Amino acid sequence: MAREKQPEAAAEAEGTPERSYREQLDYLNPIAQPLASRKLTRKLYKCIRKAAKHKQIRRGVKEVQKFINKGEKGITVLAGDTLPIDVYCHIPIMCEDRSLPYAYVPSKSVRGWGCAAGRSQP
């Protein structure tokens, strides 16, 4: 039994998601369009990790909304499995009005792991 638990602990230490990309698609919201492909999702996670290292990341609806209104440029990455939808459904409209790129990724837990957010880690 001890051998079975060690690979799971190693996977958690590396930060690999518990569910595959296909499994994460089952939990998406109906408004999660445009959804990033598997390859683009990996690139976005890598970009998020780099931005977090350099303290160039904005987390949370309130903070993102404030900086979009100020005119700050960047990429908006939204989680496709966040509930309730009403909390963040206005963010894509704000991005379109200001010509900012945005995309949905399948899971908030992996997005949180990438940017070192305390609540969203797997």
Side-chain angles (χ1 to χ4, degrees), residues 7 9 25 27 31-32 43 58 62 64 72 82 84 86 111 113:
L25 295 180
Y27 300 99
I31 66 164
K43 288 183 180 184
R58 309 288 181 239
K62 200 172 184 182
V64 169
E72 190 170 295
T82 302
D86 299 342
R111 179 189 51 84
W113 168 78

Side-chain angles (χ1 to χ4, degrees), residues 23-73:
E23 292 169 342
Q24 291 172 0
L25 295 180
D26 296 335
Y27 300 99
L28 284 179
N29 291 329
I31 66 164
Q33 294 296 326
L35 181 66
S37 66
R38 178 179 286 150
K39 186 175 180 179
L40 181 59
T41 300
R42 286 184 193 142
K43 288 183 180 184
L44 285 171
Y45 290 152
K46 189 175 181 181
C47 182
I48 289 170
R49 273 186 257 133
K50 284 184 181 181
K53 275 186 180 178
H54 297 289
K55 309 282 189 216
Q56 296 294 318
I57 197 163
R58 309 288 181 239
R59 288 183 289 238
V61 175
K62 200 172 184 182
E63 190 176 354
V64 169
Q65 183 176 343
K66 180 173 74 174
F67 281 96
I68 289 174
N69 285 333
K70 281 185 176 182
E72 190 170 295
K73 297 294 179 184

